[in-house]
Amino acid sequence: MKITSPVKSKEFVERIIKAGAGELFGGVIDPIWQNKYGKYIEFNRRGSYGKQGNCQSYQEIGEIIQIADDYGVEFDLTINALQMWEEQIPYVRSILEKYKKVGGRNVIVSDLSIIPIAREYDFNVIISSCANVYNTYIAQYLKLEGCSKIIFPRDISVQEMRNISETVPDMQYEMFMMNSGCRFQDGNCLGVHNTRFKELCSFCGKEGWDYHRLDGMELSSEEKQSAFIVSEQYQCDNNNSCVFYIQIVPEKSFFPNTSHNLCFHPQDKYSS
């Protein structure tokens, strides 16, 4: 067993490894992608954080890999957007090519269509937690596709992890011990991070928020506890008081007529 740690700058690499990390992962700011798609259409689920959550260049990624290699530690590049459009594939190929040139060997992906593309470049393919590997059938398929590791979703149980890893051996597995504190499964997240409203999903469930079903009935306590957000939008009036419309779905069971709900903030809390 080893500890995997994020890294966003070469200056922290040795410190992180000496603290016990046996593997590193991180993102990179790709100027061509950003010029085309902007800040919030991400290829690695960290794009909206910019330099706060990503390495600054491929050159820096190469330097991180060199330092990590000196300690026998691997580095994994995140290209784990939930879904890539067909028109984005040439840009993904460009990212892979630039990463390969600086010594990259491992990529973390979510969209399964990226697997054969990454393997064309001889990358070891790691499946992100965003890919929602909840059962042995998905794990077996990914093994047949030649993937080297599966990162479990953060809401999966220990028993479920044991069942998958024992049923599909000869595969590396990874689980979360610490994360950013998000209580929702990011594989079903269509939210936007780092907006002027912070992470929109982070407000829901906190004091001062109420959930309402569009059919007028109240959510049960079970529904509130098990539901998670899959998309959201907000509307603001002329006074910049905002109401957030959020689509939620039950986590592991289905409750009829609860696929669309409102989660709103009291107006006096988000007025500017």
Side-chain angles (χ1 to χ4, degrees), residues 6-234:
V7 62
K8 64 177 183 179
S9 171
K10 65 180 180 181
E11 68 176 290
F12 299 114
V13 174
E14 286 193 84
R15 192 186 313 174
I16 291 171
I17 293 174
K18 289 179 179 179
E23 190 166 345
L24 306 173
F25 71 93
V28 65
I29 297 173
D30 186 274
I32 296 177
W33 180 281
Q34 286 204 329
N35 287 339
K36 174 67 177 179
Y37 295 108
K39 184 178 180 180
Y40 295 114
I41 299 179
E42 308 168 311
F43 68 86
N44 70 351
R45 297 289 293 159
R46 302 290 292 175
S48 60
Y49 289 101
K51 64 182 181 180
Q52 296 178 348
N54 296 275
C55 299
Q56 302 298 294
S57 66
Y58 291 95
Q59 179 181 343
E60 184 174 28
I61 291 287
E63 294 172 358
I64 289 173
I65 292 171
Q66 289 178 1
I67 297 170
D69 284 348
D70 290 339
Y71 288 90
V73 170
E74 291 289 335
F75 173 85
D76 314 324
L77 182 70
T78 52
I79 310 180
N80 61 333
L82 302 187
Q83 184 177 15
M84 295 291 186
W85 314 332
E86 186 175 353
E87 71 170 50
Q88 293 175 329
I89 297 304
Y91 295 92
V92 173
R93 286 186 177 275
S94 174
I95 292 167
L96 291 171
E97 289 167 2
K98 286 178 280 191
Y99 178 47
K100 189 74 173 181
K101 287 180 179 178
V102 298
R105 296 183 291 267
N106 312 302
V107 293
I108 300 176
V109 307
S110 296
D111 188 330
L112 302 189
S113 69
I114 306 301
I115 295 173
I117 298 172
R119 298 210 17 106
E120 285 180 29
Y121 295 89
D122 295 321
F123 284 113
N124 296 316
V125 179
I126 299 168
I127 299 300
S128 169
S129 62
C130 299
N132 285 356
V133 180
Y134 282 109
N135 58 58
T136 59
Y137 300 104
I138 303 173
Q140 288 169 337
Y141 169 78
L142 295 171
K143 181 179 178 179
L144 290 174
E145 288 295 302
C147 301
S148 60
K149 185 200 295 187
I150 292 171
I151 304 173
F152 286 121
R154 56 184 145 202
D155 62 338
I156 198 170
S157 70
V158 173
Q159 181 57 49
E160 288 169 318
M161 288 188 283
R162 181 182 294 115
N163 181 47
I164 293 172
S165 60
E166 290 179 350
T167 304
V168 188
D170 301 322
M171 169 76 78
Q172 297 180 58
Y173 294 95
E174 184 176 310
M175 61 172 285
F176 281 96
M177 291 294 291
M178 296 181 65
N179 59 55
S180 61
C182 178
R183 67 185 213 164
F184 304 110
Q185 162 46 18
D186 47 0
N188 296 324
C189 174
L190 301 179
V192 176
H193 297 126
N194 208 32
T195 68
R196 68 189 180 98
F197 295 108
K198 199 184 174 189
E199 289 74 34
L200 300 184
C201 57
S202 68
F203 298 123
C204 292
K206 293 189 176 182
E207 185 176 356
W209 283 81
D210 292 318
Y211 290 89
H212 297 273
R213 286 171 38 154
L214 291 183
D215 60 9
M217 299 180 63
E218 288 191 13
L219 288 169
S220 68
S221 59
E222 184 180 15
E223 288 170 335
K224 289 182 181 180
Q225 292 173 2
S226 65
F228 58 86
I229 297 168
V230 296
S231 66
E232 72 281 304
Q233 59 181 319
Y234 60 87

Side-chain angles (χ1 to χ4, degrees), residues 234-247:
Y234 60 87
Q235 295 179 357
C236 300
D237 61 23
N238 293 333
N239 296 319
N240 284 329
S241 295
C242 300
V243 176
F244 295 84
Y245 294 84
I246 296 180
Q247 181 185 7

